Amino acid sequence: MTDRTPSAQSTPSAQERAEILVQALPHMQRYDEEVVVIKYGGHAMGDQAAAEDFAEDVVLLEQSGLKPIVVHGGGPQIGAMLARLGIESEFQAGLRVTDKATVEIVEMVLAGSINKQIVGWIAAEGGKAIGLCGKDGNMVRARKITRTMVDPDSHIEKVVDLGFVGEPAHVDRSVLDAVLRAELIPVLAPVAVGDDDQTYNVNADTFAGAIAGAMHAKRLLLLTDVPGVLDKDKRLIPELSVEDCRRLIADGTITGGMIPKVETCIYAIEQGVEAVVILDGKVPHAVLLELFTDHGAGTLIRRK
């Protein structure tokens, strides 16, 4: 059985580096011409060294015969821009309400500054990337979502209107197929349009899961700020089945923000993605560790 526990090692010699490349060959062959969707987000996006490592990883994947698709978030950057512009955010049930003014800033930050910054990082490492969002080529259609919360006084459950917050309703893969045929790396911002012609902000994990499902990706990698799924003693769980995930959500082991991430993993697998990995984006070259070594770099989730 493969040991997915990362191990710390000293800097390898030239001979050891050659051996590492040889060991990576079977992994490269396994993923040759396969689509890998990578959700890039969290605080690792704000660290220049981590960003450069990530860009190097993506370029190496493409040069090794894989077809990487990058989906990015940008919550901290959106919050910073709203603060700079003096736009106060309203929160309901712990979630930001995205009104008309806010969604304009969201689109500007996600599909504008962040998207082009990532494209630039990839270009700096010798890759050819193209920045897109769900609105381009009508790639992703969104539907408005609502959440419910229990009123603390009346204990009555009520619907919370989150404004222009949506979820993927349909993915048209034709644009992505054309981009990949051109040997370009798509970098996608999670902004989409609804049937009402309104712009919607979509959770980046959910967006990535929908893209991975539509593209029948070999792997979906969710880069986060934590090592992966942890047990009740805060130890990393290296591998889980879909059934395991549902059990750990039910018994309270998986809680908080990890629940929607794991639910995205389950959805992607049910849509045909072979496996999903939740891993720490702050680990240097985490993507390469996961795809090209026997050790892995997070929690692998597969159907069984």
Side-chain angles (χ1 to χ4, degrees):
M1 181 177 176
T2 299
D3 177 14
R4 291 185 48 81
T5 305
S7 58
Q9 296 181 347
S10 59
T11 303
S13 66
Q15 184 65 40
E16 289 170 331
R17 291 182 183 184
E19 184 62 29
I20 290 170
L21 290 174
V22 170
Q23 292 175 3
L25 180 59
H27 299 282
M28 293 179 177
Q29 292 171 330
R30 178 193 308 165
Y31 292 107
D32 186 43
E33 294 297 310
E34 296 284 357
V35 172
V36 174
V37 177
I38 308 165
K39 184 267 177 171
Y40 180 51
H43 295 288
M45 285 180 65
D47 183 278
Q48 186 64 32
E52 291 171 357
D53 283 348
F54 174 76
E56 286 177 346
D57 289 2
V58 172
V59 173
L60 182 56
L61 294 184
E62 198 275 332
Q63 291 294 313
S64 300
L66 285 75
K67 298 178 179 179
I69 298 174
V70 177
V71 175
H72 65 83
Q77 293 89 335
I78 293 169
M81 182 59 73
L82 290 171
R84 281 177 57 189
L85 297 175
I87 299 175
E88 293 187 8
S89 295
E90 177 189 354
F91 288 85
Q92 293 277 0
L95 298 171
R96 189 196 307 273
V97 176
T98 304
D99 58 16
K100 192 68 174 178
T102 301
V103 79
E104 291 178 1
I105 302 304
V106 167
E107 184 170 15
M108 179 181 73
V109 173
L110 288 179
S113 59
I114 295 177
N115 188 268
K116 303 315 173 190
Q117 187 177 46
I118 297 172
V119 168
W121 289 334
I122 293 172
E125 301 302 332
K128 293 183 178 180
I130 182 168
L132 301 165
C133 75
K135 297 169 77 172
D136 291 306
N138 215 13
M139 184 194 313
V140 179
R141 301 291 291 186
R143 57 174 166 254
K144 178 182 174 68
I145 63 171
T146 57
R147 291 288 183 263
T148 59
M149 65 176 290
V150 177
D151 185 274
D153 298 321
S154 66
H155 302 292
I156 296 174
E157 187 175 63
K158 64 177 184 178
V159 175
V160 177
D161 186 350
L162 297 175
F164 296 98
V165 177
E167 62 184 1
H170 175 71
V171 177
D172 182 342
R173 56 178 287 171
S174 58
V175 171
L176 289 174
D177 285 334
V179 169
L180 293 175
R181 280 196 301 271
E183 298 185 350
L184 297 171
I185 300 169
V187 178
L188 309 181
V191 177
V193 69
D195 289 338
D196 55 3
D197 295 325
Q198 298 295 327
T199 297
Y200 286 93
N201 178 22
V202 180
N203 175 274
D205 290 336
T206 307
F207 193 97
I211 294 292
M215 298 301 294
H216 303 297
K218 183 85 168 179
R219 283 287 187 276
L220 167 62
L221 307 183
L222 299 180
L223 272 63
T224 68
D225 294 329
V226 295
V229 180
L230 307 179
D231 64 18
K232 289 186 176 179
D233 295 321
K234 305 304 179 184
R235 295 174 301 194
L236 177 68
I237 304 174
E239 191 164 341
L240 290 168
S241 68
V242 168
E243 184 179 343
D244 292 333
C245 291
R246 291 188 171 123
R247 175 174 52 81
L248 293 178
I249 291 173
D251 71 13
T253 300
I254 296 175
T255 59
M258 187 56 73
I259 292 177
K261 288 185 184 299
V262 171
E263 288 176 340
T264 291
C265 297
I266 294 172
Y267 168 82
I269 290 168
E270 290 176 341
Q271 295 302 305
V273 177
E274 185 179 280
V276 185
V277 186
I278 300 175
L279 64 162
D280 191 345
K282 301 190 299 296
V283 174
H285 301 294
V287 171
L288 297 186
L289 282 171
E290 175 54 42
L291 295 177
F292 288 166
T293 75
D294 289 334
H295 297 292
T299 300
L300 175 75
I301 300 173
R302 60 173 89 234
R303 184 170 294 277
K304 293 181 179 179

